[in-house]
Each structure stands twice: as structure tokens, then as C-alpha cells.
Amino acid sequence: MDDGRPIFVQIAELIENSIIDGTLAEETQVPSTNELAAFHRINAATAAKGINRLVDDGILYKRRGIGMFVATGAVKTLRERRRREFSDQYVRPLIEEARKLGIGTEELKKLIETGEEQR
């Protein structure tokens, strides 16, 4: 919880990651704001702000008197959003830089495949 971004954003992203990787399945309960606050040693209002952000995005929903749950379709929604963000943040700048350097599509594909093989 110290990478320069607001803590509530980091809390929301931690929950998102748990949903995407299957740690939190759809229709399962997420930790309460008090549990998140105690675990991460943050203010409960900050944890609530992160959770509310996910509620606003339709990723979580509230069952009155019970708690917050992962919405059906949350994994699909998160993956689609993250794919768009990935494209905007990484792929488009990569393509623009490749064009500046005179690297064509086929050569770029080979560079990506070679990089993947070296892993």
C-alpha cells in the first residue's frame, strides 16, 4: 500500500485481482471493510471507498445486513476493461514506437514471439 496511488484505488485493485485470478469467485462474499482495514492497517472509510468504487462499477453488490458479494459476470467485465486498458497503455504505444523505428507488423510479431520464447 505505498506505490503512490491512493490507497482506496489499491484496495479496489487488490479485490479485482482476487476476482480475476479466481480467489474470489462470483457470488462469494468479499472481506468486510473492517476486515480489510485491520489487515492492511488502514482507515475503514478508506477501505469502504475502495469497495464502493467496485459497487459503482457493478463488480460487487450489497446484500443488506450480510455484506458485499462478487457480482455475476464480474470476471468478464474486469477482463474486458483490463484488456482495453492494456491496449491503451502498452499495445498502442508499442505500435507507434515500432512505426517510428521502421519496424513492420511481421517483424514486430517476430520480436514478440522471440521475447516470449526467451521466458
Side-chain angles (χ1 to χ4, degrees):
M1 297 286 134
D2 62 359
D3 72 358
R5 293 177 300 142
I7 293 172
F8 77 93
V9 171
Q10 294 177 60
I11 290 293
E13 193 170 273
L14 285 170
I15 295 169
E16 287 178 356
N17 289 340
S18 293
I19 294 168
I20 289 173
D21 72 16
T23 304
L24 287 172
E26 293 180 358
E27 298 302 323
T28 60
Q29 190 170 8
V30 300
S32 70
T33 56
N34 290 334
E35 291 170 328
L36 289 168
F39 183 80
H40 294 289
R41 297 181 181 171
I42 60 172
N43 186 297
T46 301
K49 191 171 180 181
I51 290 209
N52 288 334
R53 179 181 179 152
L54 296 174
V55 170
D56 293 343
D57 290 346
I59 303 302
L60 302 179
Y61 67 94
K62 183 176 185 173
R63 286 188 187 165
R64 193 168 188 91
I66 300 174
M68 295 291 184
F69 290 79
V70 179
T72 299
V75 174
K76 181 180 177 193
T77 300
L78 287 170
R79 282 191 177 147
E80 287 172 354
R81 187 183 78 211
R82 289 217 178 158
R83 283 176 184 241
R84 285 190 307 271
E85 290 170 355
F86 179 80
S87 179
D88 292 343
Q89 189 173 0
Y90 298 104
V91 177
R92 289 180 191 184
L94 173 72
I95 292 169
E96 288 175 22
E97 186 65 19
R99 284 189 183 135
K100 289 177 192 173
L101 298 174
I103 298 172
T105 304
E106 290 306 313
E107 186 178 356
L108 185 57
K109 284 180 187 177
K110 286 179 186 175
L111 287 170
I112 292 169
E113 289 168 357
T114 302
E116 191 59 29
E117 289 169 2
Q118 293 175 357
R119 292 185 79 206

